[in-house]
Amino acid sequence: MTISPTSQLNAFAQDVLDGLSRPVRQLSSKWFYDEQGTRLFKDIMRCPEYYLTEAESRIYRQCVPNLLDALNAPAFDLIELGAGDGTKTQILIEQFLTAGVQFSYRPIDLSETALSELGTLIKLRWPTLDFNPIQADYFEALDRLGAATGGRPRLVLFPGANIGNFSPSEAVGTLKRLRSFLNPGDLLFTGFDLKKDPGVVLAAYNDVGGITAAFNLNLLARINRELEGDFALDCWRHWETYDPASGAARSFLLPVESQQVHLRALNRKFSFRAWEPIAVEISQKYNLREIEGMADAAGFTFLHHVSDDRQWFTNSLWRVPTP
Ligand code: AVI
């Protein structure tokens, strides 16, 4: 099989080709999540060092009164960007139902498997809940949903510090674009990981069980599987850095020795010097003030933060202003 590098059909191939051709090689973390990567990410979320998931779950247990207060409506649409396995969202759903508000639940995810597993779970637990998943990327899905909501406000969840996988300027661009699909009065509730003890951050991406390393290395394994590559996986190491000034945690993959990698499906060879890095992920950390500035820069009105007890993570609630 040879994939034409210009084919629209294979965005992964194109991205790999572009990323590995740069002077400083890079691969996008959005390609981490094939079946194996999704499974490894679930394992990461259970690692004791990876505090983010538990911190956001704690916030979800306490934030519902704030959300209902800000919504101030008897009915709304709950939209979730990047539904994943929906574990945390179930915490919210349960409380919304207990509060007796009417709402529909529209998780958006690229993964059909994730959405169908979530659907099975939701239907078992709440068979009458208005559940309507959309399998698409965020913007395509929001576009499909359109602006008409029958007057119901929308509460959009952007959980899991996924926004941190963009650089700060890309994040503002993404949030601006997101706002362009929303109506005045709609709410956005975004999870941000906060700047903290660098040791805590580094440990979260360097778990002793080596799951994060396996998760990152799976990207090379995916290239081997899907693009007929021959990365010698044993020769690559996961390396994490954290810059407490900028708040950027970055993951790299490094070859311990020089090597040539052949991607047969692309008919391309890439030479790597020993220790020449491939940048694979940014996990950006912020402080509360920086987050408030982002709300402003993206054209939202900042309402408030709900943070965990340790101030390690925050979910920030913003409103689309009336023009
Ligand atoms: C999905 N995202 C917010 C995770 C993060 O923390 O950047 C992905 C991850 N990478 C390594 N561990 C977790």
Side-chain angles (χ1 to χ4, degrees), residues 221-246:
R222 180 178 183 178
I223 294 174
N224 283 354
R225 285 191 292 270
E226 296 182 21
L227 304 178
E228 295 177 54
D230 59 1
F231 276 102
L233 301 179
D234 290 353
C235 296
W236 288 78
R237 300 286 177 270
H238 158 64
W239 186 256
E240 189 72 22
T241 65
Y242 177 60
D243 172 7
S246 68

Side-chain angles (χ1 to χ4, degrees), residues 18-39:
D18 292 346
L20 294 185
S21 305
R22 293 180 179 216
V24 179
R25 328 267 190 155
Q26 77 181 56
L27 292 169
S28 167
S29 59
K30 75 177 175 197
W31 303 115
F32 280 164
Y33 303 90
D34 65 349
E35 219 180 301
Q36 172 71 351
T38 304
R39 212 175 9 253

Side-chain angles (χ1 to χ4, degrees), residues 33 41 44 50 52 160-162 165 205 212 215 281-283:
Y33 303 90
F41 185 56
I44 288 178
Y50 194 74
L52 290 82
N162 290 334
N165 296 134
Y205 296 91
T212 307
F215 174 67
E281 187 172 54
I282 178 168
S283 300

Side-chain angles (χ1 to χ4, degrees), residues 20-23 25 230-231 236 255 257-263 268-278:
L20 294 185
S21 305
R22 293 180 179 216
R25 328 267 190 155
D230 59 1
F231 276 102
W236 288 78
E257 58 193 39
S258 66
Q259 58 191 267
Q260 194 177 61
V261 175
H262 187 189
L263 306 188
R268 284 287 302 269
K269 288 184 177 154
F270 295 93
S271 297
F272 292 89
R273 295 184 307 277
W275 305 112
E276 182 184 355
I278 306 178

